[in-house]
Amino acid sequence: MVENNLAVKKLREKFSVSILEVKTFRDETTVLVAKKDILGICQFLSSDPDLQFNLLTDLCGVDFLPEKPRFEIVYHLCSLKNNQRLRIKTRVEENETMPSVESIWKVANWYEREVYDLFGIVFENHPDLRRILLWDGYQGHPLRKDYPTEGPDFDKPFVPEV
Amino acid sequence: MTINMGPQHPATHGVLRVVLELDGEVIVKATPHIGHLHRGIEKLAESRTYHQSIPFTDRLDYTNAMGNNLAYVLAVEKLLGIEVPKRAQYLRVMMAELQRIAAHLIWLGTHVLDIGATTPIFYTFREREDILRIFEEVAGGRLTPTYLRIGGVAKDLPEGIDKAIQSFTKMFPDRVKEYETLLTQNVIWMKRTKEVGVISKEDAINWGVTGPTLRGSGVKYDVRKAFPYSSYEEFDFEIPIGSVGDVYDRYIVRLREMEWSNSIVRQAMERLPKGPILADDPRVVLPPKERVLQDIDALIRHFKIVSEGFRPPKGEVYASVEASKGELGFYIVSDGSNKPYRFRIRTPSFANLSALPKMIEGSLIADVISTIGSIDIVLGEIDR
Amino acid sequence: MVASMATWDIARFGSEVFRPSPRQADLMIVAGTLTKKMAPMVKRIYEQMPEPKWVIAYGACACSGGIFKTYSVVQGVDQILPVDFYVPGCPPKPEALLAALVKLQKKIEKESLADRKDLRIQSHLEREEESHG
């Protein structure tokens, strides 16, 4: 059933070494790829005339502490021409950098800033990597699993710096 | 010259800060700064059960609460693999479309108020009061109804509400004509909105824009037609699109969408099937209150579901709906426990706002207000 | 916003004018969640308001942080500002806002200088007490 998916077939033809795993769950196809080829794969998926995954719906991170590699970056792609969705995942370790896909889909600019803000993953070749949801002097990356929900200083009264 | 359109500003629709670099009156560079309403909902939901996270979704885009509920509940139902009864699906469609009309009414009122017309906002809020009164009868809340549940809806429609909904759908098209007579051919309106905030088709897709902002640029992408959910394929409606991609086109698209939503509500009301409103899955769905007060097994089930929740299978899903602002999606990763492992919300206003610099660079300051209003952002959704 | 519309017309209580500038305002209504990123700006706006000034904390999040007990939410506006009225609810109905305004107007009629919560008055009164006592 999974092999009927044109995108998966083409990916397997072109990047057979980088495809680590293909899964289908509830009619959704997920492809786990190696980090070093993510830029090439995304470029191929967005520019190939049959596939045309031109809408990057979402780019987010997931923290799988204590597994190694710790973080997973998930790309949700959508092809407006074929009305098809695809999920690409890749794993990155804690102090490694990720290539940025901002050159392919401009919307990744803000999504990657958000992943950097909340997880601490640095993206190479990003034009403007700084915090987006929290303020500039903030210490820590809240969405990591070892960060408390209430924040590290929840029992101290809050004093804003004016 | 650099000026700051600060976070506290009457026309930025929430706490949005835009730093504008100007050359005279022409904008050379625009940088939006967000995060002033970041509440950490994604982190908070990781420590709540699936049922307990439903009220969070109301507070994301507070003008489109029913739609947000629908997106989340669809994602969890997809993860669990349960089937929702037809009556509940029709009720969900009806509520979501009424909510879409209410959200577009707020947009219309505030957008024209920013540009300078002070009358239409009173009219649109008058219509919105009717819708909110319907919501209050049906769900108990005006702005945060939290009406949907995993597996269906919370309560069935009360007696007599069908008359209220029918009278609303009957009088609404005339009201839309009222707004049109005030604005559509108005010379001042056209001068302030035509050729303003233009974004081309390819740019809009590349910048991840969805919803009426994308459709104003001529792309016919609507999640209700592309990836239908909750029985939308059984309803008869069209997707209005624009051509140029300016503020005027988005205004026309949203007006037409209001009319089509009204028609969908009428169709849903006419063809509402009879049947149960909650799925028949004892692990997930709460038993009816009368049984809880009499049978011990219903009481135990109620207790377990409320305190512990249910354990979905391990896996990940992405489910999206067409919210009033664009494509709202939930990406939920489950590790088999009763709390979600990752609760990711893909909100339309985040991507739409990231395209703002593209739309306003090279235009005048006064156009910034019209453009921000036409993208229709809600900061609760962007910052989460 | 809806409190100023036709159904609940706030203008009949004399509160028609919503001024965007703090320098012309008497009353600040903090509505919605106050985050730590926004708190310095709210404090600056409060200090820009000329006295006499009053603060209404509108909504559960402004009163006490609401349902958001997270790393980025201030648990109540009263952590950074003196608040005169708390309007609970999520969201509070427009009638609640009108009730709070009417009660505030009654309170202002009857209050003495010592009841006021603006900070400069308080510290001025404390200095007076010290010099007298």
Side-chain angles (χ1 to χ4, degrees), chain B residues 7-8 10 15 34-41 43-44 56 59 110 121-122 125 128-129 136 142-144, chain C residues 1-2 4-8 20 22 33 35 37-38 41 45 67-73 90-91 93-94:
Chain B
Q8 192 263 335
V15 278
I34 58 174
H36 301 281
L37 198 53
H38 176 64
R39 296 165 283 191
I41 293 184
K43 180 88 183 175
L44 197 52
F56 290 141
R59 280 130 181 111
T110 51
I121 187 171
F122 290 98
F125 272 66
R128 186 172 166 256
E129 279 308 313
E136 205 176 1
R142 288 159 45 97
L143 205 65
T144 52
Chain C
M1 208 166 47
V2 83
S4 57
M5 290 303 131
T7 321
W8 282 281
T33 320
T35 59
K37 190 169 181 178
M38 190 67 193
M41 294 152 210
I45 293 175
I67 56 177
F68 300 109
K69 188 157 187 234
T70 62
Y71 50 87
S72 65
V73 172
C90 194
K93 286 197 77 166

Side-chain angles (χ1 to χ4, degrees), chain B residues 67-372:
Chain B
N68 302 346
N69 283 352
L70 182 57
Y72 172 62
V73 164
L74 282 176
V76 180
E77 285 163 5
K78 198 172 180 185
L79 183 64
L80 290 167
I82 60 181
E83 183 68 40
V84 178
K86 266 296 179 205
R87 186 178 171 88
Q89 289 188 12
Y90 272 58
L91 283 175
R92 284 175 173 185
V93 167
M94 197 158 64
M95 292 297 136
E97 293 304 315
L98 277 175
Q99 186 75 74
R100 188 190 310 274
I101 300 177
H104 283 341
L105 285 171
I106 298 188
W107 161 80
L108 187 61
T110 51
H111 184 213
V112 302
L113 184 68
D114 290 341
I115 294 188
T118 43
T119 322
I121 187 171
F122 290 98
Y123 294 170
T124 58
F125 272 66
R126 174 192 59 188
E127 263 71 85
R128 186 172 166 256
E129 279 308 313
D130 289 336
I131 299 183
L132 293 184
R133 217 166 283 150
I134 295 176
F135 282 166
E136 205 176 1
E137 285 284 327
V138 171
R142 288 159 45 97
L143 205 65
T144 52
T146 321
Y147 180 51
L148 304 189
R149 298 284 183 270
I150 299 173
V153 293
K155 285 192 297 203
D156 210 334
L157 294 181
E159 290 289 325
I161 199 72
D162 46 344
K163 284 199 205 44
I165 299 180
Q166 271 159 2
S167 69
F168 177 81
T169 52
K170 224 179 297 223
M171 66 89 171
F172 190 65
D174 294 326
R175 299 292 162 86
V176 176
K177 284 202 187 50
E178 266 183 33
Y179 312 143
E180 291 229 60
T181 50
L182 280 174
L183 293 168
T184 308
Q185 297 294 330
N186 187 327
V187 174
I188 305 178
W189 178 251
M190 295 203 314
K191 265 212 149 61
R192 281 216 61 179
T193 56
K194 278 205 182 257
E195 307 292 325
V196 168
V198 178
I199 188 167
S200 69
K201 242 189 201 183
E202 296 73 31
D203 278 335
I205 300 176
N206 201 284
W207 281 93
V209 175
T210 50
T213 319
L214 180 67
R215 293 197 277 279
S217 299
V219 180
K220 206 162 184 162
Y221 175 61
D222 186 321
V223 184
R224 295 175 289 176
K225 291 277 194 199
F227 304 99
Y229 52 92
S230 191
S231 309
Y232 264 104
E233 56 271 12
E234 297 172 18
F235 291 92
D236 172 37
F237 62 102
E238 301 270 323
I239 313 290
I241 55 172
S243 48
V244 179
D246 56 10
V247 172
Y248 189 77
D249 273 346
R250 293 174 213 144
Y251 154 77
I252 296 286
V253 162
R254 288 195 177 98
L255 273 186
R256 297 282 94 79
E257 273 188 14
M258 278 203 276
E259 291 173 349
W260 281 113
S261 292
N262 193 34
S263 152
I264 297 177
V265 174
R266 193 179 329 119
Q267 291 173 40
M269 202 67 228
E270 283 163 12
R271 305 202 304 238
L272 192 62
K274 301 211 187 304
I277 52 160
L278 278 169
D280 188 21
D281 192 335
R283 295 166 303 151
V284 170
V285 168
L286 290 173
K289 220 27 181 240
E290 309 82 46
R291 277 202 57 210
V292 172
L293 297 171
Q294 290 172 359
D295 293 342
I296 190 69
D297 56 289
L299 182 65
I300 296 176
R301 214 177 94 199
H302 181 101
F303 177 72
K304 282 227 90 121
I305 294 178
V306 168
S307 60
E308 228 182 61
F310 51 85
R311 284 160 208 276
K314 225 171 154 183
E316 53 198 3
V317 284
Y318 175 79
S320 65
V321 304
E322 181 74 20
S324 64
K325 319 265 181 297
E327 177 180 340
L328 172 67
F330 278 81
Y331 171 59
I332 302 183
V333 178
S334 154
D335 59 348
S337 73
N338 59 344
K339 304 191 166 106
Y341 190 76
R342 174 78 169 105
F343 186 93
R344 160 76 183 171
I345 313 169
R346 188 270 177 203
T347 52
S349 303
F350 192 79
N352 292 358
L353 186 63
S354 72
L356 179 71
K358 189 91 181 82
M359 292 188 208
I360 60 175
E361 275 165 13
S363 55
L364 309 171
I365 295 188
D367 296 336
V368 176
I369 310 283
S370 341
T371 315
I372 293 182

